[in-house]
Amino acid sequence: MPTASNHPSLPSVVHDGVFQVSSASEPTVDTNSPVAFSPSQSGTERRSHSPPNDTESTPPRGGPNVLRNSVNPPKGRSIRSSLAEKDGVRSKMQELTVEEMFKTYIPGDDPSSEMQSKFKSIAFAKIVPEDSTTGATDVQDASEGTSKTKSKTVTWVEWHCMIEIAAHSADARPLGPLFKTYDTSNWPVQPGMKSKVKRKRDEEAAAPADDDEGKRGTRPDGGVYLVNDRTEQFVTISDATLKKESKISDADKKTRTRFVGHCSWADLIVPVEVKVERSHSAFTFSDKSDHFLLDSDEGNKSLGHILEYVGRVFTHQHRTHVFALYVFRSQARILYFDRAGCIVSEPFEYGTGTDTPLHRFFWRLSHMSTEERGYDHSAQLASEDEVKGMLDYASSGAPTEFIKQQIYYALSWDLEAGKPRSTQWPAYRITMDGRTLLIARPMASSQSLHGRCTRGYIAYDTKNKTTSFLKDYWRPDSLHIQAEHGVYERLATFKVSNIATCDAHQDVPNSHNRWQVTKTHDIVDSKVRLPSGHYRILIREVCRPLIDFKEFRELASLLLDAMIAHEEAWSRAGVLHRDISINNILILEEGEGSNFTRRGILNDWDLCKYKEQMDKGMAPRRLNLTSTWYFRSALSLQFPRKPYRLSDDIESFIHVYHYCVYRFHITDDMDDLVDTIKRLYAKATVVNGIRIGGKEKLLRMENRRPPMDVGYESPTLAKCLVALHRVYNPHYLSLDIDLYQSLYRSPPSAESSGQHVIETGLRPLDTHDKLKDVFSRYGGRDKDLLGKPTIVWGEEELTKTEDLFQHTSLAEHKNAQLSSSVYGDFEDIAAKRPVKRQKIGNISTTLLSIAESQYEAMSS
């Protein structure tokens, strides 16, 4: 790799709307600096929080624009548009002055006056007010040696601005590992492994090996990268490649030489987004406004762009925070994201003077440690030998085929080619409780930028040569909220069946042996002001998702196992799960050959409540923070101020079974399946500021017949649905819905504080018995005197259809061992099975989940 290179200096003149640049020599750089992290601390004891920038300074308080709702993108819609939902985004973003931003969120010292004098500036000094709709503006030329200024029209182009940013970053010569800024606007994410077999002219091109690679659609205009072997291989575009493959003019090629590159989500330090049309900007700049976010459809869409880019950085890397730059022509804003919110600097001019905030930002960035740049100190790149050991285990030591395939998926490994298919998911090494674990591509990952932001990994123990499931998320730092490992300890003490085993846990430390916590919480959420801390829990069992059930007899049996766990947790340990959903019931495979078994596991206990914490009759202090919207009881959806009870959890098991029937069996709702699911599970309205749903679900619970007809070819399944109906229907017919309406729809008075107890008497869903009996009989667990099942399914019934939600906006992703509730929604980064394409009705809805529970301290 060359140790010196030439790059364009800052533009010296503006001519005919195109920035003309001259070349300058770049000093020799150390190209061997690895993208690595400082050695991790092995201690797991409780640590004090790290103050901002490791000083005793206190973050400034937010102003009147601080709002409080979390960003939570709905499933099945565009990540960009959903992340940019106006109310959600504004709630977690706050504007600060440039000086406040540097003081609190950008650590380090500023360059000396001598160094500042060496920085370059753009020639034009004053910009005439821009046209409001186009990328054209007038500038007053103030070039050296010009006694008079004169206006000339400039056509602003994104990549021209990106070159300016790149040149600014080159001014800040770092003393440590060097970085470089690339224009990535016109090149796809770096392709992975290329096939050695040439494709024939008429042969259809194979799909990219990775969803993120080989595509031109999703990438920022530019970004900052370290200079090392990885970025030289996966980011840098050589002069020869640019000259041969680019279709831009020779003059533009000359301007962009050595500044163009591929986007690499695994290596991107700071994403840069550039806009030249005011209406397409996410933020206000020189224009007057009551809010720093541009309140328009285009503005929200553009905001979704930068949010998506930052989200991909969080997903592909191990980061505690991410810096970003947002540029509008000659102005810019610096952004700071962590898992509590986003801080946005006021806009500043970067094209005038030699001591601009942009120079200062790049100077400080170049002198920061990797941890200060936002990298998780506890995660280090794994060596080739460590990765080889994980692959050897997959091929010869994996206990199940599922685990074997998950390892290959995590490492993006192509067995036929003998190398990774993707460049975007390098393996990392972490240490927990004295164990060295390798993790790579997550099995599932939350799209949410703020909140718990859960990621789940298959983790390989390099010493013991075993695999476990690593759950990584950010939990509220509150003594009122039990850490998840504490729940597992309590359940284990009372010998609760059919739950996973917690092997280790960790409040993830930084290099100062303090807990990694958020810094923006105090500004973006002035009401709660609780930090979130980085947390990991290691689960011994690696399980399949519930949607991998074989047929509906087994589904009933798996739900019975989960109900046994739920009942024992409540009756023995005094723990109520409060989030029964399709993603929280898993399939554990054990043994081999004739001893091979599959049983249900009830997972994800981090939203649970202990019996002693539940004040009988007390309404929730914060509404809609319990359980997954799709699977919540009809009563709790219709009356969210109602105290949450055991019966609400038990009812959720029924909705899980019904959901699976809709998804994996032909029903009488096939003609409008999407609309049916939307009405039944997803629909919600806002009444007096409270989200209310479940109207259709309530009607079906009260109806005289089961909610769907599965046809005469499935008589046993039809009888099972009738048996379920005979449990929940009498329960709902005995309720006084009018009384619920009067008590829980009107605002609570100060005297009542929402305390009402109207669920008196014992109804079918108040205990587990009746529902367990249905699942036991139809799950083949009840036997006659001869040891044969009391209910026999016909052979033709022991199959399920293809996934009827696949290839529609209803598609639920396969997120083994992760909740679908307060973690928001998940990227589709779980292994997929090929299914036959089938268009189902009007594909226009989405699988909604409730907003992330930012902090459960205030909820009941």
Side-chain angles (χ1 to χ4, degrees):
M1 176 179 173
T3 57
S5 61
N6 294 327
H7 69 89
S9 65
L10 278 168
S12 55
V13 295
V14 178
H15 180 66
D16 293 333
V18 178
F19 294 114
Q20 303 296 324
V21 298
S22 58
S23 62
S25 177
E26 180 172 331
T28 301
V29 299
D30 177 10
T31 60
N32 296 317
S33 301
V35 185
F37 307 92
S38 304
S40 62
Q41 299 287 340
S42 60
T44 57
E45 66 274 8
R46 179 76 175 203
R47 276 131 337 241
S48 60
H49 297 164
S50 299
N53 298 340
D54 293 323
T55 68
E56 297 301 324
S57 61
T58 301
R61 302 285 180 180
N65 286 330
V66 176
L67 300 175
R68 300 178 180 87
N69 295 324
S70 65
V71 177
N72 183 46
K75 195 167 297 177
R77 293 169 56 185
S78 163
I79 299 174
R80 293 181 179 181
S81 60
S82 60
L83 283 174
E85 293 286 346
K86 179 175 63 176
D87 293 339
V89 169
R90 292 190 177 204
S91 67
K92 292 300 176 185
M93 303 186 80
Q94 177 62 26
E95 184 182 52
L96 293 181
T97 66
V98 173
E99 289 307 313
E100 286 176 326
M101 172 69 85
F102 274 90
K103 178 181 178 181
T104 305
Y105 296 100
I106 309 175
D109 298 322
D110 291 327
S112 65
S113 56
E114 178 183 1
M115 182 58 66
Q116 291 173 18
S117 66
K118 299 179 182 179
F119 294 161
K120 304 176 183 67
S121 65
I122 298 175
F124 54 86
K126 183 178 180 181
I127 299 179
V128 178
E130 303 93 339
D131 182 275
S132 61
T133 58
T134 70
T137 186
D138 289 339
V139 300
Q140 293 182 353
D141 191 356
S143 304
E144 271 188 55
T146 304
S147 58
K148 296 181 180 180
T149 61
K150 57 181 179 180
S151 296
K152 55 180 64 178
T153 299
V154 176
T155 301
W156 293 87
V157 181
E158 279 88 348
W159 71 261
H160 284 303
C161 295
M162 195 59 239
I163 295 298
E164 295 173 29
I165 300 299
H168 268 72
S169 69
D171 275 344
R173 299 299 180 192
L175 301 179
L178 293 177
F179 63 79
K180 186 174 181 179
T181 304
Y182 289 90
D183 168 13
T184 58
S185 59
N186 284 280
W187 294 81
V189 175
Q190 206 286 318
M193 183 189 71
K194 296 182 179 179
S195 175
K196 296 180 180 179
V197 180
K198 291 186 177 181
R199 181 168 53 94
K200 297 179 181 179
R201 181 182 298 272
D202 298 330
E203 186 179 358
E204 184 178 348
D210 191 285
D211 289 342
D212 292 320
E213 297 188 356
K215 294 185 178 180
R216 305 180 67 87
T218 302
R219 65 197 182 283
D221 291 305
V224 180
Y225 295 85
L226 283 177
V227 176
N228 57 33
D229 291 339
R230 260 193 68 91
T231 54
E232 179 68 15
Q233 183 180 2
F234 301 138
V235 178
T236 301
I237 295 174
S238 68
D239 298 350
T241 300
L242 178 65
K243 183 177 180 180
K244 179 181 178 181
E245 298 186 13
S246 177
K247 296 181 181 180
I248 61 177
S249 68
D250 290 340
D252 287 347
K253 288 179 182 178
K254 182 177 180 181
T255 302
R256 302 174 80 169
T257 297
R258 300 192 185 280
F259 276 115
V260 295
H262 294 283
C263 170
S264 176
W265 299 114
D267 302 284
L268 180 59
I269 301 175
V270 178
V272 182
E273 181 72 348
V274 179
K275 297 295 180 184
V276 297
E277 294 188 28
R278 182 182 302 281
S279 63
H280 290 175
S281 172
F283 300 94
T284 59
F285 282 87
S286 58
D287 42 333
K288 302 294 183 181
S289 177
D290 294 333
H291 200 277
F292 60 92
L293 288 170
L294 189 62
D295 188 8
S296 68
D297 291 341
E298 282 296 329
N300 288 327
K301 180 180 178 181
S302 296
L303 180 59
H305 292 182
I306 188 66
L307 296 179
E308 181 188 6
Y309 304 149
V310 172
R312 285 181 178 269
V313 173
F314 272 124
T315 298
H316 284 259
Q317 302 179 29
H318 295 269
R319 301 289 289 268
T320 58
H321 59 271
V322 175
F323 293 105
L325 288 176
Y326 202 93
V327 178
F328 173 67
R329 301 185 183 180
S330 63
Q331 301 176 73
R333 290 178 182 266
I334 303 171
L335 283 61
Y336 174 96
F337 291 83
D338 68 12
R339 294 311 199 172
C342 172
I343 305 301
V344 183
S345 79
E346 291 180 339
F348 55 84
E349 293 279 350
Y350 69 87
T352 59
T354 58
D355 181 22
T356 70
L358 194 59
H359 281 117
R360 293 171 61 197
F361 171 72
F362 280 124
W363 175 267
R364 290 194 180 190
L365 184 72
S366 67
H367 290 79
M368 291 179 192
S369 66
T370 54
E371 194 168 23
E372 289 171 328
R373 289 184 191 129
Y375 288 90
D376 177 3
H377 161 81
S378 68
Q380 303 178 26
L381 285 171
S383 68
E384 290 185 8
D385 288 342
E386 288 172 324
V387 172
K388 184 179 182 301
M390 189 173 181
L391 288 169
D392 290 342
Y393 172 82
S395 63
S396 60
T400 67
E401 182 66 20
F402 177 74
I403 291 176
K404 176 181 179 179
Q405 294 303 322
Q406 287 300 316
I407 293 175
Y408 289 146
Y409 178 78
L411 297 173
S412 303
W413 196 254
D414 188 290
L415 280 172
E416 184 177 343
K419 61 181 180 179
R421 292 188 298 267
S422 172
T423 65
Q424 298 296 292
W425 303 98
Y428 286 85
R429 177 179 62 255
I430 64 171
T431 302
M432 286 185 67
D433 195 26
R435 308 179 189 201
T436 299
L437 305 172
L438 298 189
I439 56 176
R441 187 178 192 174
M443 296 171 71
S445 178
S446 170
Q447 293 173 353
S448 298
L449 288 174
H450 313 308
R452 296 178 184 256
C453 306
T454 307
R455 294 189 288 184
Y457 302 89
I458 190 165
Y460 172 66
D461 188 321
T462 59
K463 180 179 179 180
N464 297 321
K465 292 181 172 49
T466 57
T467 50
S468 303
F469 180 80
L470 179 70
K471 183 177 173 181
D472 180 300
Y473 62 98
W474 293 73
R475 68 179 181 87
D477 180 26
S478 171
L479 296 176
H480 301 287
I481 306 173
Q482 59 275 0
E484 192 172 3
H485 67 269
V487 182
Y488 277 104
E489 290 171 357
R490 178 162 171 160
L491 296 174
T493 298
F494 288 94
K495 302 185 184 306
V496 174
S497 308
N498 301 329
I499 62 169
T501 309
C502 174
D503 275 345
H505 60 87
Q506 181 183 50
D507 286 338
V508 183
N510 62 18
S511 61
H512 302 285
N513 208 32
R514 299 187 180 114
W515 194 14
Q516 294 177 0
V517 295
T518 55
K519 292 168 59 176
T520 65
H521 57 274
D522 199 51
I523 296 179
V524 300
D525 199 337
S526 58
K527 181 179 179 180
V528 178
R529 293 177 182 169
L530 284 175
S532 286
H534 191 188
Y535 177 75
R536 293 184 181 129
I537 182 170
L538 190 67
I539 302 299
R540 182 180 304 171
E541 297 83 5
V542 180
C543 300
R544 282 185 179 271
L546 182 63
I547 62 173
D548 279 355
F549 70 93
K550 296 177 181 177
E551 24 78 11
F552 289 94
R553 178 181 61 183
E554 185 190 46
L555 177 62
S557 179
L558 296 169
L559 291 182
L560 174 63
D561 291 333
M563 285 204 71
I564 292 172
H566 189 273
E567 181 181 33
E568 291 182 359
W570 178 248
S571 61
R572 297 181 186 178
V575 178
L576 186 62
H577 189 280
R578 303 201 317 158
D579 189 19
I580 303 301
S581 73
I582 194 169
N583 281 342
N584 287 344
I585 302 170
L586 307 174
I587 303 173
L588 176 61
E589 298 178 332
E590 296 177 303
E592 56 186 26
S594 60
N595 295 322
F596 181 79
T597 61
R598 287 161 53 108
R599 62 185 171 99
I601 295 291
L602 186 56
N603 199 52
D604 274 298
W605 293 84
D606 50 323
L607 278 188
C608 75
K609 283 290 182 182
Y610 296 158
K611 187 176 291 188
E612 61 268 23
Q613 296 173 325
M614 300 175 66
D615 187 357
K616 186 176 182 181
M618 178 63 72
R621 297 185 181 93
R622 300 184 73 188
L623 305 181
N624 290 330
L625 295 183
T626 302
S627 72
T628 302
W629 188 265
Y630 256 46
F631 306 102
R632 279 176 61 175
S633 71
L635 212 57
S636 67
L637 288 173
Q638 277 283 285
F639 309 103
R641 288 180 41 234
K642 179 191 79 70
Y644 194 86
R645 303 185 71 222
L646 174 65
S647 59
D648 296 304
D649 251 18
I650 294 175
E651 181 182 326
S652 293
F653 287 98
I654 297 172
H655 298 309
V656 169
Y657 197 90
H658 282 172
Y659 171 89
C660 289
V661 173
Y662 278 121
R663 185 169 176 176
F664 295 102
H665 200 284
I666 303 298
T667 69
D668 57 340
D669 287 304
M670 287 299 298
D671 290 340
D672 59 348
L673 182 60
V674 171
D675 290 337
T676 296
I677 299 302
K678 179 180 179 180
R679 293 193 312 270
L680 183 57
Y681 294 113
K683 190 172 182 179
T685 58
V686 177
V687 179
N688 296 324
I690 300 174
R691 187 184 181 199
I692 293 175
K695 182 177 180 179
E696 181 75 15
K697 188 181 288 186
L698 178 62
L699 292 175
R700 297 204 178 198
M701 301 297 278
E702 294 176 329
N703 201 348
R704 296 178 59 185
R705 293 179 56 81
M708 76 284 285
D709 185 351
V710 294
Y712 66 90
E713 294 179 345
S714 302
T716 313
L717 177 59
K719 291 177 182 178
C720 178
L721 293 174
V722 170
L724 292 175
H725 180 267
R726 290 173 179 170
V727 175
Y728 62 77
N729 183 249
H731 181 99
Y732 267 84
L733 292 180
S734 68
L735 298 174
D736 188 341
I737 300 300
D738 291 336
L739 183 57
Y740 277 90
Q741 187 85 17
S742 63
L743 291 176
Y744 296 118
R745 284 289 173 84
S746 58
S749 63
E751 293 79 14
S752 68
S753 300
Q755 297 187 54
H756 303 294
V757 181
I758 62 174
E759 296 109 327
T760 58
L762 197 63
R763 296 180 175 86
L765 293 178
D766 288 335
T767 68
H768 297 78
D769 295 340
K770 291 185 179 299
L771 190 56
K772 280 175 53 185
D773 177 65
V774 174
F775 287 143
S776 180
R777 288 187 288 120
Y778 284 90
R781 305 279 278 273
D782 276 11
K783 304 295 178 63
D784 58 20
L785 295 177
L786 299 177
K788 297 181 179 181
T790 56
I791 292 180
V792 179
W793 293 66
E795 286 298 322
E796 66 279 1
E797 295 185 83
L798 294 181
T799 58
K800 65 178 184 181
T801 68
E802 62 182 17
D803 187 346
L804 300 177
F805 289 2
Q806 192 67 270
H807 308 301
T808 79
S809 54
L810 295 173
E812 167 90 3
H813 306 312
K814 297 173 63 174
N815 302 309
Q817 306 197 195
L818 288 181
S819 169
S820 61
S821 61
V822 295
Y823 308 128
D825 305 294
F826 297 96
E827 291 189 19
D828 188 12
I829 54 176
K832 300 176 182 178
R833 292 171 300 178
V835 297
K836 181 180 178 181
R837 289 183 176 272
Q838 181 174 1
K839 185 175 180 180
I840 308 296
N842 178 24
I843 304 171
S844 61
T845 188
T846 179
L847 182 60
L848 294 175
S849 63
I850 65 172
E852 284 206 38
S853 171
Q854 183 69 6
Y855 303 112
E856 274 282 295
M858 303 295 291
S859 66
S860 66

